[in-house]
Amino acid sequence: MACKLGHKHSMNLPRHRGLQDVRTRLETAAQAAGRKASEITLIAVSKTFGAETILPVLQAGQMAFGENRVQEAAGKWPALRSSAAGLELHLIGPLQSNKAADAVRLFDAIHTIDRPRIAQTVAAEMAKQARQLQLFIQVNTGDEKQKAGVSVGSADSFIAECRNKYGLHISGLMCIPPINEAPDQHFALLAHIARRNDLTNLSMGMSGDFETAIKHGATHVRVGSAIFGTREGQPH
Ligand SMILES: *Cc1c(COP(=O)(O)O)cnc(C)c1O
């Protein structure tokens, strides 16, 4: 399909309803927070959706996408990507060290660095492949047993370890608040941990709460269902 992607000033790109709605919400939230919409990266989370659903969003000018599984992304993105110069792919789901090589090859950013083994493996793979990815450390702000992310109490030391021991340039922090709690305090906590560690980027906020995240300083919001519609079959 001959689509002209990569054209940033795009008066006549085809429109996508879900994307348009989310961009409007994002701009309104940024304005309400006294921030510029242009300093907030909208990541369109396309997990579980096929190329036929993703392509219209790409064609509407969306350039950053998120996936939570390396294997799923490896199956669908190389082909999509070849049609879109400048596209950014973000890994937002847990990473196993045996998938690190594939992840470093495929993605431009990883939001889920959360333990020494992953930090070490990603550092080694980036060196080997001569690639620099944008890296976020995931913080388990609710200290939930079943959830990935470094605990709140070890966040500072893990950030230091990533920097000093593994030589990683850490771009920011990421969190997924507990489902049954108001997200405000979690976003505020993540922003607080970032500030005291001199980190500028905050990956927080999803379809239901990204306006709140923007109020608390989110620089990267990860939005799936509000753009693409409801996901079938998969709970996450
Ligand atoms: C699925 C997912 C999202 C997007 O969730 P929506 O509620 O569909 O916007 C954001 N972040 C992570 C880590 C996810 O797994």
Side-chain angles (χ1 to χ4, degrees):
M1 194 177 286
C3 44
K4 289 185 182 158
L5 298 168
H7 287 234
K8 293 238 156 78
H9 303 286
S10 45
M11 310 268 287
N12 40 22
L13 284 181
R15 288 179 169 232
H16 182 281
R17 182 63 187 276
L19 180 64
Q20 197 76 34
D21 287 350
V22 167
R23 280 186 178 158
T24 305
R25 282 172 60 186
L26 190 153
E27 277 159 26
T28 306
Q31 203 159 40
R35 304 180 56 200
K36 289 195 189 115
S38 61
E39 71 191 32
I40 300 159
T41 300
L42 171 62
I43 300 171
V45 177
S46 50
K47 65 189 184 192
T48 78
F49 293 105
E52 71 288 350
T53 308
I54 297 171
L55 204 52
V57 176
L58 254 175
Q59 288 169 332
Q62 174 63 24
M63 295 302 277
F65 289 83
E67 290 282 343
N68 67 338
R69 293 183 180 173
V70 177
Q71 211 130 347
E72 182 187 339
K76 63 193 188 192
W77 276 101
L80 280 166
R81 178 160 233 178
S82 63
S83 67
L87 186 141
E88 272 177 35
L89 206 52
H90 295 249
L91 177 62
I92 60 168
L95 177 59
Q96 309 301 323
S97 45
N98 63 355
K99 301 268 172 60
D102 288 342
V104 167
R105 203 169 297 119
L106 185 64
F107 289 93
D108 304 291
I110 298 176
H111 293 234
T112 51
I113 304 291
D114 67 350
R115 56 196 190 279
R117 177 127 173 79
I118 285 299
Q120 182 179 32
T121 312
V122 166
E125 275 303 328
M126 291 198 308
K128 197 162 140 191
Q129 298 183 31
R131 274 175 65 71
Q132 282 298 323
L133 276 68
Q134 183 179 25
L135 301 177
F136 294 81
I137 288 174
Q138 182 175 357
V139 181
N140 186 356
T141 56
D143 282 332
E144 295 173 279
K145 280 223 159 55
Q146 78 288 2
K147 195 163 273 176
V150 64
S151 70
V152 172
S154 18
D156 292 348
S157 62
F158 183 61
I159 293 165
E161 187 181 1
C162 284
R163 287 169 164 164
N164 303 330
K165 186 166 176 191
Y166 303 115
L168 290 174
H169 176 77
I170 300 298
S171 172
L173 302 179
M174 176 270 213
C175 76
I176 309 170
I179 300 178
N180 300 318
E181 287 180 31
D184 270 281
Q185 56 175 332
H186 296 277
F187 296 151
L189 175 60
L190 196 72
H192 181 71
I193 299 170
R195 216 176 299 119
R196 73 179 178 223
N197 286 281
D198 284 322
L199 291 167
T200 44
N201 287 314
L202 292 168
S203 167
M204 56 190 199
M206 319 199 329
S207 291
D209 58 17
F210 72 83
E211 286 101 334
T212 307
I214 287 171
K215 191 173 78 186
H216 287 281
T219 59
H220 294 70
V221 294
R222 311 177 308 265
V223 181
S225 47
I227 296 174
F228 293 101
T230 313
R231 286 181 294 276
E232 307 246 332
Q234 259 186 311
H236 57 93

